[in-house]
Amino acid sequence: MKWQSFSLNRGIVFLSLVVLGLVLVSNHHLGYSFGDSIFRALGLPPWSEQGNHGLHISAITGIFLLIAGYLGATIYYLPRYRKIRSRIIIGCIAFVWLSPIVSEYAMFILKYNSTGIRSVAYSLKDSQCSFQTYENNRVHANCSLTLYNYGNQPTITLRPVTDNHPEIVFQPETFFVSPHSRVTINKEFIAVPDKELNFSGWSRVTKYEIEASGETKIVE
C-alpha cells in the first residue's frame, strides 16, 4: 500500500514539473513570460545580463523542468496509458496558446475598478521606437506602443527612457485613454540634450516612464 502511494505521488510530481515548466516558459498578454514575473517577484534576475540580454535564465529553468517532467511522466504512465505522450503534448500546446488570452481577461477582471498606476500596463508586443538626431541637436523618437488601461484611469503621461544616454530626456506626453481598454499609441517624442551628439537607432525593447494620478513607474 505504501509503495502504491509512493508510486502515485511520483506520477503527480512528474506532471507538476510539466505544469511548472509550462508556467515558466509561457508568455502572458504583455509579451514576456510568467517566469520573468515570478523570478522578479522572488528577487531573482530572469536574464544573466541587464536589459533582458544574455542567457534567459527563467526560460532555461522552465525548459529543463518541462523535459524532466515529460520524460518522467512518460516512463511512469506509458505502461498503463498508451496515449500519455500525445496527451501531454496536446496539453502543453493548449496551455501555451491559452495563456495570453486567459491572463488578459483575468487582469481586466481583477483590476476592473482600479485607478492610478495599478490600472496601467505596457505591452512589449508590437511596441518599438526609432531614434534620430536632427538640426539644433533635437533628438526625435517615433514610437509605437500598446498600453492596457484595466480600470478607470482617465489619462496617462509617458516618455521613452534611454539607459545608455541619460543625458537624453524626452519631454513627456499625456494621452486620454478609455476605461477597460487596450490602446495602441503612435507618437513622436522630442528631447534637446545639453551636449551635442549624433544619436540614432531602432529598438523593440524600450523603457518608458509612465505617470498616472501622481504615481510614476518605469516599465520595459
Side-chain angles (χ1 to χ4, degrees):
M1 191 70 178
K2 290 183 178 179
W3 170 254
Q4 290 179 344
S5 176
F6 170 77
S7 182
L8 178 62
N9 290 337
R10 187 174 59 173
I12 294 174
V13 168
F14 288 137
L15 291 178
S16 298
L17 290 178
V18 172
V19 173
L20 181 57
L22 283 172
V23 170
L24 291 179
V25 302
S26 297
N27 286 349
H28 52 56
H29 63 291
L30 297 180
Y32 51 90
S33 70
F34 291 104
D36 288 3
S37 299
I38 293 172
F39 269 53
R40 290 191 178 103
L42 296 174
L44 302 172
W47 292 81
S48 61
E49 299 177 15
Q50 290 185 349
N52 297 339
H53 298 297
L55 296 176
H56 198 176
I57 300 173
S58 61
I60 293 173
T61 304
I63 292 172
F64 174 79
L65 294 175
L66 188 57
I67 293 174
Y70 172 79
L71 293 176
T74 298
I75 293 172
Y76 176 77
Y77 287 108
L78 191 59
R80 286 170 292 173
Y81 306 105
R82 304 302 298 178
K83 296 183 178 180
I84 186 64
R85 290 173 178 166
S86 61
R87 295 295 184 266
I88 293 177
I89 292 173
I90 292 172
C92 290
I93 294 173
F95 189 99
V96 172
W97 182 71
L98 289 173
S99 289
I101 300 173
V102 173
S103 66
E104 180 175 341
Y105 279 103
M107 293 305 293
F108 274 116
I109 293 173
L110 292 173
K111 296 189 175 184
Y112 190 83
N113 293 317
S114 63
T115 57
I117 207 69
R118 291 185 65 255
S119 178
V120 182
Y122 159 61
S123 175
L124 183 62
K125 295 189 298 183
D126 303 321
S127 296
Q128 62 184 23
C129 274
S130 62
F131 304 92
Q132 185 66 50
T133 302
Y134 292 96
E135 295 179 357
N136 300 322
N137 204 36
R138 294 166 63 90
V139 180
H140 292 227
N142 289 289
C143 299
S144 174
L145 67 148
T146 300
L147 291 175
Y148 283 88
N149 182 17
Y150 300 123
N152 299 300
Q153 181 60 31
T155 61
I156 298 172
T157 300
L158 58 87
R159 66 180 184 88
V161 177
T162 56
D163 284 341
N164 295 332
H165 295 275
E167 69 275 11
I168 301 177
V169 180
F170 289 98
Q171 299 171 7
E173 300 285 347
T174 299
F175 304 91
F176 293 94
V177 289
S178 301
H180 321 300
S181 65
R182 175 182 182 270
V183 295
T184 298
I185 294 173
N186 295 287
K187 184 66 178 177
E188 182 179 66
F189 298 87
I190 299 174
V192 184
D194 293 333
K195 65 178 182 179
E196 186 174 350
L197 49 79
N198 185 16
F199 179 68
S200 64
W202 175 89
S203 176
R204 190 180 70 86
V205 181
T206 304
K207 279 188 177 181
Y208 287 93
E209 181 184 84
I210 298 180
E211 187 271 329
S213 297
E215 301 173 285
T216 302
K217 70 176 178 180
I218 301 291
V219 296
E220 62 176 317

